[in-house]
Amino acid sequence: MTVPAPARLAIIAGSGGLPAALVASLAERPLICAPEGFAPAGLDVDQTFRVERLALFLHWLEDQGVTEVAFAGAVQRPRLDPSLFDPATATMVPRLLAAMGQGDDATLREVLAIFEEAGFALRGVADLAPALVPGPGVYAGGVTAQDETDAARAAAIVQALGAVDVGQGCVVAGGLCLAVEALPGTDAMLGFVAQIPASLRPARGLFYKAPKPAQDRRIDLPTLGVQTLRHAAAAGLGGVVWQAGGVICLDLPAMQQEADALGLTLWAR
């Protein structure tokens, strides 16, 4: 009887701390690969690749015995150089461009499809390291009746935004939406909220984060960390709330300690 070879995992790593947090949660070190220009923090990269040479990179993964792939970290849309396309990758360009025209979620789904068609099994962060995706609970502070109302309002807003592939977060205070997350990202949104005059906004309020309704949760789950809490506090907010089981917390103990120091509520709703 032939014994199947053990699965070998490769992480397609973007920038930020998530790839390192994921690797630290695994029993064995995977192969670390990164798109050019998006090196992960705190990790040595085994292979850098360009999107224009994606087909060649997929063949390289196969040659290394890779059978499973996980995506972790932040990657912005690359500027493609047509002169660098190899013939096989060039055939993928029309489908990628069509997906990019529909939004980030559609683009990521197409990328996943290309990797699956190449024979790789896709693993999500929640599957590989469930401790990074906390379940329901109040992890710091307390939840007020106004928090419950604001969180319900925020969840409805994020669901509506996600349905048209816009964003994964918003800020609500006293039932009013102060800002929504778009292409510039979470930090830019919280920076905008910090500049809203106190006369135009209710006190306290919260930042809410959740995946898009139809999102493939094997890629691009929302991520929170200590720095997010600091930005939320600087914006005058009283809490950070997220959809339980749908958001990555890079270091929950450190987030709890920081939330206590800042007087913030942490709630996986």
Side-chain angles (χ1 to χ4, degrees):
M1 181 177 67
T2 302
V3 178
R8 188 180 190 192
L9 175 68
I11 292 180
I12 310 302
S15 58
L18 176 56
L22 176 56
V23 170
S25 301
L26 302 175
E28 296 183 6
R29 185 187 186 278
L31 199 64
I32 309 299
C33 308
E36 189 174 291
F38 296 98
L43 278 180
D44 292 329
V45 175
D46 299 303
Q47 180 71 12
T48 300
F49 67 94
R50 292 189 64 98
V51 175
E52 295 94 335
R53 302 279 184 174
L54 182 57
L56 297 178
F57 172 63
L58 294 174
H59 288 307
W60 181 86
L61 288 176
E62 185 178 4
D63 290 341
Q64 306 310 305
V66 171
T67 57
E68 299 180 335
V69 171
F71 290 80
V75 176
Q76 297 175 346
R77 295 189 183 196
R79 293 187 177 181
L80 303 179
D81 183 347
S83 68
L84 297 179
F85 285 120
D86 63 84
T89 303
T91 65
M92 303 175 185
V93 173
R95 61 190 289 193
L96 284 171
L97 291 179
M100 290 170 70
Q102 298 175 47
D104 288 344
D105 196 40
T107 303
L108 294 173
R109 284 198 301 271
E110 198 61 46
V111 170
L112 291 180
I114 287 172
F115 274 79
E116 286 184 313
E117 289 166 13
F120 301 105
L122 276 297
R123 304 288 300 278
V125 172
D127 176 33
L128 293 169
L132 292 177
V133 187
V138 179
Y139 292 93
V143 177
T144 68
Q146 186 60 58
D147 289 338
E148 292 181 355
T149 299
D150 284 348
R153 172 74 171 145
I157 292 169
V158 170
Q159 184 173 27
L161 290 173
V164 289
D165 201 4
V166 171
Q168 298 173 315
C170 72
V171 173
V172 171
L176 301 176
C177 181
L178 304 186
V180 297
E181 184 181 283
L183 184 62
T186 296
D187 291 349
M189 177 188 67
L190 293 174
F192 169 78
V193 173
Q195 298 177 39
I196 299 176
S199 60
L200 295 180
R201 54 178 288 187
R204 194 172 162 83
L206 55 83
F207 165 49
Y208 178 83
K209 195 86 164 172
K212 297 169 184 174
Q215 180 174 336
D216 189 321
R217 297 197 176 197
R218 295 174 297 177
I219 192 170
D220 195 35
L221 277 185
T223 301
L224 297 173
V226 168
Q227 196 62 33
T228 311
L229 306 189
R230 293 172 182 160
H231 288 312
L237 302 177
V240 174
V241 185
W242 65 92
Q243 184 188 97
V247 173
I248 296 167
C249 291
L250 292 179
D251 187 339
L252 185 57
M255 290 174 61
Q256 290 175 288
Q257 184 176 1
E258 188 72 15
D260 287 336
L262 295 171
L264 288 175
T265 293
L266 287 187
W267 175 23
R269 179 179 179 268

